[in-house]
Amino acid sequence: MTTTTLSPPMTGATEPRARFVDLVAAEWIKLRSLRSTPWALLITALAVVAFNVGEAYDTYRYWSAEEADEAGHRARFIRDGIPLQEAFTPNATMVLMLAAGAFGALAIVGEYRSGLIRTTFTAVPARRSLMAAKALVVAAVTAALGVLVAGASFWLTQAILSGRDAGVPISHPGAWRVVVASALLAPVAALAGLALGALLRHAGSAVVAAFVLLVVLPGVLSDERHWSAVAGHTLPYRAWLRLVETGAPPSPYPWTTGGAWLVLALWPPLAAAVAVIAGDRRDL
């Protein structure tokens, strides 16, 4: 008689490691499932476009009869770059940066506040991959927002100014630079907010810190001193100003457009790296 020995069930079998694409999909589902997400994006888009359109409409409305009959005035208006200045205004830029920064901060702070982050890290112990996936989703969503508001603002403002024969096409020198630089501000600010949220883990503190970093600090740092000018040039808002301005930079310490592009290019990966490291090394 032969005795057969049965192997015990493999209850402790190791589950396959989650693929990065699966983590990205999960983060996307979490973000879009929040009721506040579409409303926040919609309100931000409408507010930003409204600021820009309002500026262009004021120009259209108060264009005097004498100016309307003067072809030279239109030429000076375009030559001075005013149509591009009204395509995306500083007020709209601040609204976009604040909203995107708060969006990025709340994308991570909300999970810490609700305790969902513990469940998430338990299900996916690879914290760095998880935080990288979150950063990618936040960047992608806000980049789409930036493209939408920058493109819509340019098209609408130039359409309004064209009523006075003062609008410019997208092929006009400098037009693409304004649109691309303005669109980039949304993911830059959002990832900065995400990094601050991962570091501070408190909604109010993260939003205030984003406001100080993105809006207050650029106004505090002066171009009158070399160290202050250099520090200011490292900030996204000042980089945007350099890219959209016309003529020679009004500063004793001018910098190049290439340097401004470099600032906007470096902020997203650096901010994402801070968020990933903070989420990986800090205790819950």
Side-chain angles (χ1 to χ4, degrees):
M1 183 176 181
T2 304
T3 303
T4 303
T5 303
L6 300 176
S7 300
M10 298 179 64
T11 56
T14 303
E15 295 185 0
R17 183 185 180 91
R19 298 178 303 171
F20 185 73
V21 66
D22 295 329
L23 298 179
V24 171
E27 290 300 323
W28 164 242
I29 292 173
K30 283 196 295 185
L31 187 63
R32 74 175 184 179
S33 63
L34 296 174
R35 293 182 179 180
S36 60
T37 297
W39 285 108
L41 297 175
L42 177 61
I43 292 172
T44 299
L46 292 177
V48 172
V49 174
F51 268 101
N52 295 322
V53 168
E55 187 78 15
Y57 180 73
D58 283 344
T59 300
Y60 172 87
R61 181 179 180 184
Y62 295 107
W63 195 288
S64 67
E66 292 79 8
E67 293 170 338
D69 294 334
E70 185 184 352
H73 177 77
R74 296 193 190 92
R76 289 193 301 271
F77 186 85
I78 296 174
R79 184 178 63 249
D80 292 342
I82 300 177
L84 296 183
Q85 293 174 13
E86 296 188 357
F88 216 92
T89 63
N91 287 337
T93 299
M94 291 185 181
V95 171
L96 177 61
M97 295 184 72
L98 285 176
F103 181 83
L106 296 177
I108 182 64
V109 171
E111 290 197 53
Y112 281 107
R113 183 175 54 191
S114 65
L116 178 62
I117 196 70
R118 293 185 175 87
T119 304
T120 302
F121 283 156
T122 299
V124 184
R127 294 188 181 187
R128 291 188 179 184
S129 297
L130 184 64
M131 291 298 295
K134 184 181 293 292
L136 181 60
V137 170
V138 168
V141 171
T142 51
L145 172 67
V147 170
L148 173 64
V149 297
S153 293
F154 182 86
W155 182 75
L156 290 172
T157 55
Q158 301 316 303
I160 292 171
L161 293 175
S162 293
R164 301 297 185 188
D165 293 328
V168 297
I170 192 65
S171 58
H172 186 79
W176 273 111
R177 188 170 67 184
V178 171
V179 173
V180 174
S182 302
L184 284 175
L185 284 178
V188 168
L191 288 175
L194 182 71
L196 292 170
L199 288 170
L200 301 176
R201 301 186 180 184
H202 184 272
S205 301
V207 172
V208 170
F211 173 73
V212 172
L213 177 64
L214 298 172
V215 176
V216 176
L217 199 56
V220 171
L221 294 173
S222 170
D223 278 351
E224 299 304 318
R225 293 180 177 85
H226 182 264
W227 70 267
S228 180
V230 172
H233 293 168
T234 64
L235 299 175
Y237 180 71
R238 297 286 286 274
W240 174 81
L241 281 178
R242 177 64 185 89
L243 291 170
V244 301
E245 67 187 356
T246 56
S251 168
Y253 304 103
W255 56 320
T256 65
T257 57
W261 282 121
L262 183 62
V263 169
L264 291 183
L266 289 179
W267 265 76
L270 291 177
V274 171
V276 169
I277 294 172
D280 180 55
R281 296 193 174 183
R282 291 192 60 187
D283 294 331
L284 298 177

